[in-house]
Amino acid sequence: MDPFVSEGDLEPSRPESCLDQPMDSSSVHEVVHEVVHSDSSVLPAKHHDPDTTEPISCGLQTLEELLSWKRSDGNLFNVAAVPLAPRDPPLATSARRTLVSHDMMGGYIDDRFTQGTHSDAPYAFYHWQYIDIFNYFTHNMVTIPPVVWTNAAHKHGVVVLGTFITEWTDGAVVCEAFLKDEESYRAVADRLVQISHCYGFDGWLINIENSLSEGAVKNTPLFLQYLTEQMHERVPGSLVLWYDSVLEKGELNWQNELNESNRVFFGACDGFFTNYNWTEQSLEWMTGYSGLDGRQADVYVGVDVFARGKVVGGMWETNKALEIIRKHNFSVALFAPGWVYETLSDKTQFRKNQDKFWALLSDFLSIHRPASPLPFVSSFCQGFGKAIYRRGQLEASRSWFNLSAQEVQPLYNNTQLEGGGWLSSRSCPDDAWNGGCSLLLEGVIPATHTSPVSAKIFSLDVILAPKTLVTLIYKSSPGIRMSLELKTTDPSQCTHMNVHDVKVPPVSAAGLGDGLESLELRGCALREVSVSIQRDREAQETPFSCRVGEILLMDGASLQTPPQLVQGLCIYDVVWLRGAGTSTSPCLHLNATMHWDYPTEFVRHFRVYWRRLRGPDPRIPPGQLALMGRAYSNLYRVTELEVPEAPGLLELVVEPVIRKGFPLPESHWGRRSLSYTEAKTK
């Protein structure tokens, strides 16, 4: 396509652009004006795809780029919309933690598209309940985690770390420059803190894989200590970890353990990530090492899932490494568990292989409970699928990937029952209520099993209201009854022993439907959500296959709270492109950024529409609203929207899809019209 942009200010994107548009006017006017030089674009090239203007995530390549970074240069689309959820137990009190370092094919692939992308076979992660820390790793000098990962991790109470790495000869030059004195290393640390704070992730893995001079290595612990202190001050719950590489005298020499040669770095930050070639003797030695200073949980023993080098376990035997590490009560750092995706050629079996891998590790992983205020809702969407559903109806029939769409994930289990029966839970992309998949519960109830089969779905920490409304949406097999079971504790006697079962009767008949059930609970804390499965016929071996579409718990009193209105909708960074359309002749495409005000904690997502109000032919009536996509923050980039030739008038519309489940009236949606004319020729 040939690029065009709107006439006017060509400064980089900024939220202040909205201040240029009077909110007492319902319309914005643009002039379609050709750009003579490609570098005249209003959009920073590193933050937008050059062909489509789609917003993308990226890292920083050089020290100069890092030191010159300013908040105003940040990518608004890469700012996390989801704060880090509290969790039980808190990370600080977890004795054996699990870190995943995501090293995948160089990084910034399908996940770089902040609004998602079309992908037939993407990589996704959804076993968040097993892990505590997620590190996005690439060989960029500064790796800024793509926002889709931060949003998904934060929903589950998982801390997200970027990576600061220097390597080999070029890395040594960088280190000599920024570790030469206090002013220099503080400048780098300050920028790293600002970047983490700006984008909303939670800290850094520091990976220096080059030798250091005497002066540089002397300043390295001071750099780590200053960075850690500043991160803790600016980003509550943040972490700074050090990778096992350089020794206190500056040599590059991986130790595969914490010892006297590298403990100075451990003492200056929040944790130590060991190299992968350890032995059980190394772990035995470390358990008695005085340099631990009571911080055994802060030592993350590295496990390379690709099993490169002389390592314990790896690949389908990664569980062997975890068994030994847990035996000695250390934390674990799993490096590149995307092995299941990268090396196994049949990508259509990705979910099966992913579930198999994490099931093998599950005996050595602790489950944490994400905490969330009401309403709690999940339709089990994993952030990708073969289609997109809305309230049980097909919204779009295409493959897609956007981890920001991922909702709180259930527990995926395989259980053997007495008498030869079994129960399994997994995702089902062939049917859904909202998003890309439902939860498939299947198995066999043996003839001797007279009590209901219970499938644990969620492990949570949610304070319930005195009157809590509950919705269960499902499809069941013939002859099968389903209901919810809630396990709660009384927060006034907050002990794990004081657990009560609350039965929720069926609220839906066979066939995917929904309904509300009211519970009087006196303000309990929800700990577990299970689905009870029972046959309603005579005792005989009974196979079943049931789909759970959605579970919703809501404060009944909140129904009296009036919903909020979308406010301040503005349109800026307009780029016009001329390209192929539905006909053989070139047509006009609109690309623009929309920004609005609405509290994101109240919504699951926003639906963004457009419609033609007027085109060059006045005889053609206005068009109907057409869905362009979903937004997971208060920003949306319209890309390659085919519009009528100028002069024209169109309307852009934002609908909040609120967590309470019911649709908002159109009077609460955001609307702004955009008129456009051709530039006058001289």
Side-chain angles (χ1 to χ4, degrees):
M1 291 185 175
D2 299 323
F4 297 76
V5 298
S6 60
E7 204 172 54
D9 192 359
L10 296 180
E11 292 183 3
S13 303
R14 66 196 195 285
E16 288 81 3
S17 298
C18 295
L19 301 177
D20 300 334
Q21 300 177 14
M23 287 299 112
D24 56 354
S25 170
S26 62
S27 182
V28 177
H29 182 72
E30 291 289 335
V31 178
V32 180
H33 184 75
E34 183 172 358
V35 175
V36 179
H37 302 291
S38 59
D39 59 1
S40 301
S41 174
V42 298
L43 304 176
K46 65 182 179 180
H47 296 326
H48 295 82
D49 183 272
D51 296 324
T52 65
T53 80
E54 291 178 85
I56 56 176
S57 303
C58 65
L60 306 178
Q61 306 296 329
T62 67
L63 184 61
E64 292 73 24
E65 195 176 0
L66 172 61
L67 291 174
S68 63
W69 187 93
K70 301 186 296 293
R71 189 178 184 90
S72 58
D73 296 331
N75 178 1
L76 291 175
F77 285 94
N78 204 50
V79 175
V82 181
L84 177 63
R87 46 166 282 180
D88 178 46
L91 181 62
T93 62
S94 299
R96 304 193 307 177
R97 305 166 194 156
T98 302
L99 178 151
V100 160
S101 188
H102 176 70
D103 176 43
M104 168 69 77
M105 302 166 67
Y108 299 117
I109 43 179
D110 286 339
D111 54 9
R112 76 184 186 277
F113 294 102
T114 64
Q115 294 187 164
T117 189
H118 302 289
S119 182
D120 292 328
Y123 174 82
F125 182 78
Y126 46 85
H127 290 86
W128 295 104
Q129 73 274 12
Y130 288 137
I131 79 168
D132 305 287
I133 303 165
F134 178 83
N135 164 235
Y136 195 83
F137 183 92
T138 76
H139 291 275
N140 292 270
M141 194 186 79
V142 178
T143 298
I144 299 170
V147 66
V148 297
W149 284 103
T150 305
N151 284 338
H154 278 184
K155 290 174 188 176
H156 297 84
V158 173
V159 167
V160 177
L161 306 182
T163 304
F164 177 76
I165 186 172
T166 63
E167 300 177 280
W168 315 122
T169 303
D170 291 344
V173 173
V174 169
C175 288
E176 292 307 309
F178 89 87
L179 291 169
K180 64 183 178 181
D181 54 37
E182 181 178 6
E183 181 181 2
S184 299
Y185 71 68
R186 286 196 171 206
V188 166
D190 288 342
R191 289 296 183 272
L192 294 177
V193 173
Q194 291 164 10
I195 288 170
S196 176
H197 185 264
C198 172
Y199 290 120
F201 62 95
D202 312 296
W204 297 95
L205 171 67
I206 306 300
N207 186 359
I208 305 297
E209 295 206 65
N210 48 259
S211 59
L212 298 174
S213 68
E214 181 179 354
V217 77
K218 179 182 177 182
N219 284 327
T220 300
L222 301 175
F223 160 68
L224 281 176
Q225 184 175 3
Y226 178 74
L227 172 62
T228 304
E229 291 171 351
Q230 294 301 305
M231 284 298 307
H232 290 178
E233 182 176 328
R234 293 292 301 278
V235 182
S238 60
L239 294 174
V240 175
L241 305 184
W242 173 263
Y243 178 66
D244 165 23
S245 49
V246 175
L247 307 186
E248 65 176 351
K249 292 186 178 180
E251 308 101 301
L252 178 63
N253 192 338
W254 300 268
Q255 299 293 287
N256 306 296
E257 65 182 21
L258 177 69
N259 58 35
E260 283 298 304
S261 297
N262 52 34
R263 66 173 289 190
V264 64
F265 308 112
F266 175 61
C269 65
D270 295 308
F272 186 88
F273 182 149
T274 80
N275 193 47
Y276 314 104
N277 301 110
W278 48 268
T279 63
E280 185 167 6
Q281 289 73 27
S282 302
L283 305 189
E284 289 174 351
W285 180 85
M286 277 198 298
T287 58
Y289 175 46
S290 61
L292 279 174
D293 292 330
R295 297 175 57 197
Q296 193 159 350
D298 295 335
V299 176
Y300 300 82
V301 179
V303 177
D304 181 6
V305 178
F306 277 79
R308 290 164 285 206
K310 190 176 181 180
V311 299
V312 176
M315 298 187 280
W316 290 123
E317 295 185 337
T318 299
N319 57 306
K320 293 182 177 180
L322 266 67
E323 182 177 10
I324 295 172
I325 295 168
R326 297 309 199 202
K327 174 183 172 183
H328 296 284
N329 292 313
F330 286 104
S331 294
V332 168
L334 285 171
F335 187 75
W339 169 83
V340 299
Y341 179 88
E342 290 192 59
T343 63
L344 304 177
S345 58
D346 188 356
K347 299 296 188 283
T348 63
Q349 297 298 307
F350 164 65
R351 279 187 173 98
K352 179 180 179 181
N353 292 327
Q354 176 97 318
D355 293 346
K356 175 184 174 182
F357 177 82
W358 287 95
L360 289 170
L361 306 185
S362 61
D363 287 344
F364 311 105
L365 302 172
S366 301
I367 293 176
H368 69 266
R369 295 178 167 91
S372 160
L374 291 178
F376 170 81
V377 59
S378 179
S379 57
F380 315 104
C381 181
Q382 294 178 333
F384 69 109
K386 299 186 291 187
I388 302 176
Y389 293 82
R390 181 175 186 245
R391 299 187 65 80
Q393 302 299 312
L394 194 64
E395 180 175 276
S397 182
R398 57 174 173 79
S399 296
W400 64 280
F401 170 72
N402 186 348
L403 284 176
S404 289
Q406 189 180 96
E407 298 192 330
V408 176
Q409 289 297 290
L411 303 169
Y412 298 99
N413 294 308
N414 288 284
T415 305
Q416 297 299 313
L417 306 175
E418 291 183 6
W422 58 276
L423 166 68
S424 77
S425 58
R426 59 184 175 88
S427 92
C428 175
D430 300 320
D431 197 2
W433 180 251
N434 280 314
C437 62
S438 56
L439 180 66
L440 178 63
L441 303 176
E442 57 185 354
V444 172
I445 304 175
T448 57
H449 205 93
T450 56
S451 58
V453 173
S454 182
K456 186 190 293 186
I457 305 299
F458 291 113
S459 184
L460 300 168
D461 184 20
V462 176
I463 302 299
L464 299 177
K467 177 176 284 188
T468 299
L469 303 179
V470 182
T471 301
L472 170 67
I473 299 172
Y474 65 90
K475 282 182 178 178
S476 65
S477 299
I480 292 293
R481 287 180 290 150
M482 295 175 62
S483 61
L484 277 184
E485 294 178 337
L486 308 180
K487 285 193 174 183
T488 67
T489 61
D490 182 347
S492 66
Q493 307 176 32
C494 193
T495 68
H496 295 282
M497 302 301 295
N498 187 25
V499 176
H500 308 279
D501 289 337
V502 179
K503 297 282 187 181
V504 179
V507 294
S508 302
L512 199 58
D514 64 320
L516 285 173
E517 190 74 22
S518 177
L519 301 176
E520 303 287 343
L521 291 174
R522 303 189 340 271
C524 299
L526 178 63
R527 306 295 285 178
E528 292 179 3
V529 178
S530 299
V531 170
S532 176
I533 301 168
Q534 188 172 19
R535 56 178 162 239
D536 59 5
R537 57 183 66 168
E538 67 277 4
Q540 61 180 5
E541 185 174 278
T542 308
F544 62 89
S545 179
C546 307
R547 292 181 176 88
V548 185
E550 187 168 278
I551 293 173
L552 167 67
L553 296 100
M554 177 172 51
D555 182 353
S558 71
L559 295 177
Q560 308 303 318
T561 305
Q564 301 202 29
L565 285 70
V566 174
Q567 297 180 329
L569 175 58
C570 66
I571 304 164
Y572 62 102
D573 281 356
V574 176
V575 176
W576 300 97
L577 299 174
R578 186 72 71 179
T582 53
S583 62
T584 56
S585 59
C587 64
L588 190 62
H589 289 84
L590 169 67
N591 302 265
T593 295
M594 301 169 60
H595 181 275
W596 58 90
D597 296 319
Y598 199 89
T600 54
E601 66 269 22
F602 295 158
V603 300
R604 302 176 75 171
H605 56 265
F606 299 92
R607 289 162 57 85
V608 185
Y609 307 85
W610 84 285
R611 66 169 175 158
R612 176 182 52 78
L613 297 178
R614 186 178 67 248
D617 187 345
R619 295 171 296 178
I620 301 177
Q624 299 296 312
L625 283 180
L627 181 67
M628 292 188 288
R630 295 180 175 185
Y632 295 88
S633 69
N634 289 336
L635 281 171
Y636 185 78
R637 182 71 185 169
V638 180
T639 57
E640 299 186 297
L641 176 65
E642 185 177 338
V643 299
E645 291 292 339
L649 177 67
L650 56 87
E651 184 179 43
L652 301 176
V653 180
V654 175
E655 175 196 5
V657 178
I658 62 174
R659 299 176 64 81
K660 294 178 185 178
F662 53 82
L664 287 185
E666 290 195 25
S667 59
H668 288 62
W669 300 7
R671 297 176 182 272
R672 200 86 196 260
S673 58
L674 173 70
S675 62
Y676 53 99
T677 56
E678 291 283 0
K680 296 180 179 179
T681 57
K682 295 181 180 179

mmCIF file of all heavy atoms in Angstrom, residues 253-270:
data_model
loop_
_atom_site.group_PDB
_atom_site.id
_atom_site.type_symbol
_atom_site.label_atom_id
_atom_site.label_comp_id
_atom_site.label_asym_id
_atom_site.label_seq_id
_atom_site.Cartn_x
_atom_site.Cartn_y
_atom_site.Cartn_z
ATOM 1 N N ASN A 253 32.523 -17.344 34.290
ATOM 2 C CA ASN A 253 32.722 -18.749 34.652
ATOM 3 C C ASN A 253 31.474 -19.237 35.386
ATOM 4 O O ASN A 253 31.286 -18.978 36.565
ATOM 5 C CB ASN A 253 33.964 -18.897 35.536
ATOM 6 C CG ASN A 253 34.387 -20.340 35.692
ATOM 7 O OD1 ASN A 253 33.599 -21.262 35.509
ATOM 8 N ND2 ASN A 253 35.652 -20.537 36.037
ATOM 9 N N TRP A 254 30.613 -19.930 34.653
ATOM 10 C CA TRP A 254 29.349 -20.413 35.212
ATOM 11 C C TRP A 254 29.632 -21.447 36.305
ATOM 12 O O TRP A 254 30.327 -22.441 36.082
ATOM 13 C CB TRP A 254 28.493 -21.020 34.113
ATOM 14 C CG TRP A 254 28.158 -20.050 33.022
ATOM 15 C CD1 TRP A 254 27.066 -19.249 32.948
ATOM 16 C CD2 TRP A 254 28.930 -19.770 31.847
ATOM 17 N NE1 TRP A 254 27.090 -18.486 31.809
ATOM 18 C CE2 TRP A 254 28.227 -18.788 31.100
ATOM 19 C CE3 TRP A 254 30.143 -20.240 31.340
ATOM 20 C CZ2 TRP A 254 28.698 -18.272 29.890
ATOM 21 C CZ3 TRP A 254 30.612 -19.738 30.135
ATOM 22 C CH2 TRP A 254 29.894 -18.758 29.422
ATOM 23 N N GLN A 255 29.048 -21.263 37.473
ATOM 24 C CA GLN A 255 29.336 -22.112 38.624
ATOM 25 C C GLN A 255 28.301 -23.218 38.842
ATOM 26 O O GLN A 255 28.571 -24.190 39.536
ATOM 27 C CB GLN A 255 29.413 -21.255 39.887
ATOM 28 C CG GLN A 255 30.507 -20.203 39.844
ATOM 29 C CD GLN A 255 31.886 -20.835 39.851
ATOM 30 O OE1 GLN A 255 32.344 -21.339 40.864
ATOM 31 N NE2 GLN A 255 32.540 -20.832 38.687
ATOM 32 N N ASN A 256 27.104 -23.038 38.307
ATOM 33 C CA ASN A 256 26.022 -24.011 38.485
ATOM 34 C C ASN A 256 25.608 -24.167 39.950
ATOM 35 O O ASN A 256 24.996 -25.165 40.332
ATOM 36 C CB ASN A 256 26.410 -25.376 37.894
ATOM 37 C CG ASN A 256 26.848 -25.266 36.452
ATOM 38 O OD1 ASN A 256 26.062 -24.905 35.585
ATOM 39 N ND2 ASN A 256 28.124 -25.548 36.187
ATOM 40 N N GLU A 257 25.947 -23.166 40.734
ATOM 41 C CA GLU A 257 25.600 -23.165 42.149
ATOM 42 C C GLU A 257 25.907 -21.793 42.720
ATOM 43 O O GLU A 257 26.592 -20.973 42.102
ATOM 44 C CB GLU A 257 26.410 -24.223 42.912
ATOM 45 C CG GLU A 257 27.904 -23.931 42.939
ATOM 46 C CD GLU A 257 28.727 -24.995 43.659
ATOM 47 O OE1 GLU A 257 28.223 -26.134 43.793
ATOM 48 O OE2 GLU A 257 29.858 -24.694 44.082
ATOM 49 N N LEU A 258 25.383 -21.542 43.906
ATOM 50 C CA LEU A 258 25.752 -20.361 44.674
ATOM 51 C C LEU A 258 26.927 -20.722 45.565
ATOM 52 O O LEU A 258 26.878 -21.717 46.296
ATOM 53 C CB LEU A 258 24.567 -19.902 45.526
ATOM 54 C CG LEU A 258 24.819 -18.703 46.445
ATOM 55 C CD1 LEU A 258 25.012 -17.430 45.632
ATOM 56 C CD2 LEU A 258 23.673 -18.544 47.444
ATOM 57 N N ASN A 259 27.997 -19.914 45.496
ATOM 58 C CA ASN A 259 29.168 -20.200 46.327
ATOM 59 C C ASN A 259 29.902 -18.903 46.646
ATOM 60 O O ASN A 259 29.413 -17.805 46.340
ATOM 61 C CB ASN A 259 30.081 -21.232 45.650
ATOM 62 C CG ASN A 259 30.555 -20.786 44.271
ATOM 63 O OD1 ASN A 259 30.799 -19.594 44.037
ATOM 64 N ND2 ASN A 259 30.680 -21.739 43.355
ATOM 65 N N GLU A 260 31.067 -19.034 47.242
ATOM 66 C CA GLU A 260 31.820 -17.857 47.671
ATOM 67 C C GLU A 260 32.238 -16.969 46.506
ATOM 68 O O GLU A 260 32.477 -15.776 46.687
ATOM 69 C CB GLU A 260 33.064 -18.295 48.462
ATOM 70 C CG GLU A 260 32.762 -18.729 49.882
ATOM 71 C CD GLU A 260 32.164 -17.609 50.715
ATOM 72 O OE1 GLU A 260 32.801 -16.529 50.809
ATOM 73 O OE2 GLU A 260 31.064 -17.792 51.267
ATOM 74 N N SER A 261 32.335 -17.541 45.317
ATOM 75 C CA SER A 261 32.798 -16.770 44.161
ATOM 76 C C SER A 261 31.727 -15.860 43.576
ATOM 77 O O SER A 261 32.040 -14.957 42.801
ATOM 78 C CB SER A 261 33.315 -17.722 43.065
ATOM 79 O OG SER A 261 34.430 -18.453 43.525
ATOM 80 N N ASN A 262 30.458 -16.114 43.899
ATOM 81 C CA ASN A 262 29.391 -15.299 43.294
ATOM 82 C C ASN A 262 28.365 -14.789 44.309
ATOM 83 O O ASN A 262 27.412 -14.109 43.936
ATOM 84 C CB ASN A 262 28.680 -16.074 42.178
ATOM 85 C CG ASN A 262 28.192 -17.443 42.628
ATOM 86 O OD1 ASN A 262 27.792 -17.638 43.777
ATOM 87 N ND2 ASN A 262 28.221 -18.411 41.715
ATOM 88 N N ARG A 263 28.538 -15.104 45.590
ATOM 89 C CA ARG A 263 27.532 -14.725 46.580
ATOM 90 C C ARG A 263 27.406 -13.210 46.728
ATOM 91 O O ARG A 263 26.371 -12.711 47.184
ATOM 92 C CB ARG A 263 27.840 -15.348 47.938
ATOM 93 C CG ARG A 263 29.100 -14.834 48.597
ATOM 94 C CD ARG A 263 29.275 -15.364 50.010
ATOM 95 N NE ARG A 263 28.306 -14.779 50.922
ATOM 96 C CZ ARG A 263 28.383 -14.936 52.244
ATOM 97 N NH1 ARG A 263 29.359 -15.649 52.780
ATOM 98 N NH2 ARG A 263 27.487 -14.358 53.034
ATOM 99 N N VAL A 264 28.440 -12.435 46.343
ATOM 100 C CA VAL A 264 28.367 -10.982 46.470
ATOM 101 C C VAL A 264 27.215 -10.410 45.640
ATOM 102 O O VAL A 264 26.580 -9.429 46.024
ATOM 103 C CB VAL A 264 29.713 -10.336 46.084
ATOM 104 C CG1 VAL A 264 30.043 -10.572 44.612
ATOM 105 C CG2 VAL A 264 29.700 -8.842 46.377
ATOM 106 N N PHE A 265 26.912 -11.059 44.504
ATOM 107 C CA PHE A 265 25.799 -10.601 43.651
ATOM 108 C C PHE A 265 24.454 -11.020 44.248
ATOM 109 O O PHE A 265 23.480 -10.269 44.208
ATOM 110 C CB PHE A 265 25.966 -11.162 42.243
ATOM 111 C CG PHE A 265 27.320 -10.901 41.654
ATOM 112 C CD1 PHE A 265 28.212 -11.943 41.432
ATOM 113 C CD2 PHE A 265 27.738 -9.612 41.344
ATOM 114 C CE1 PHE A 265 29.469 -11.709 40.895
ATOM 115 C CE2 PHE A 265 28.994 -9.361 40.813
ATOM 116 C CZ PHE A 265 29.866 -10.422 40.597
ATOM 117 N N PHE A 266 24.417 -12.216 44.807
ATOM 118 C CA PHE A 266 23.210 -12.714 45.480
ATOM 119 C C PHE A 266 22.811 -11.797 46.627
ATOM 120 O O PHE A 266 21.630 -11.485 46.823
ATOM 121 C CB PHE A 266 23.492 -14.136 45.985
ATOM 122 C CG PHE A 266 22.390 -14.749 46.808
ATOM 123 C CD1 PHE A 266 21.126 -14.957 46.286
ATOM 124 C CD2 PHE A 266 22.633 -15.159 48.116
ATOM 125 C CE1 PHE A 266 20.120 -15.553 47.042
ATOM 126 C CE2 PHE A 266 21.645 -15.752 48.887
ATOM 127 C CZ PHE A 266 20.381 -15.949 48.344
ATOM 128 N N GLY A 267 23.798 -11.321 47.361
ATOM 129 C CA GLY A 267 23.518 -10.463 48.498
ATOM 130 C C GLY A 267 23.021 -9.082 48.127
ATOM 131 O O GLY A 267 22.496 -8.363 48.975
ATOM 132 N N ALA A 268 23.180 -8.711 46.841
ATOM 133 C CA ALA A 268 22.822 -7.362 46.409
ATOM 134 C C ALA A 268 21.457 -7.281 45.738
ATOM 135 O O ALA A 268 21.038 -6.192 45.339
ATOM 136 C CB ALA A 268 23.892 -6.826 45.454
ATOM 137 N N CYS A 269 20.760 -8.421 45.588
ATOM 138 C CA CYS A 269 19.472 -8.388 44.875
ATOM 139 C C CYS A 269 18.523 -9.404 45.487
ATOM 140 O O CYS A 269 18.751 -9.922 46.585
ATOM 141 C CB CYS A 269 19.684 -8.629 43.378
ATOM 142 S SG CYS A 269 20.310 -10.281 42.977
ATOM 143 N N ASP A 270 17.442 -9.715 44.778
ATOM 144 C CA ASP A 270 16.368 -10.539 45.339
ATOM 145 C C ASP A 270 16.528 -12.029 45.097
ATOM 146 O O ASP A 270 15.779 -12.824 45.688
ATOM 147 C CB ASP A 270 15.017 -10.103 44.752
ATOM 148 C CG ASP A 270 14.643 -8.698 45.156
ATOM 149 O OD1 ASP A 270 14.665 -8.412 46.367
ATOM 150 O OD2 ASP A 270 14.335 -7.879 44.261
#
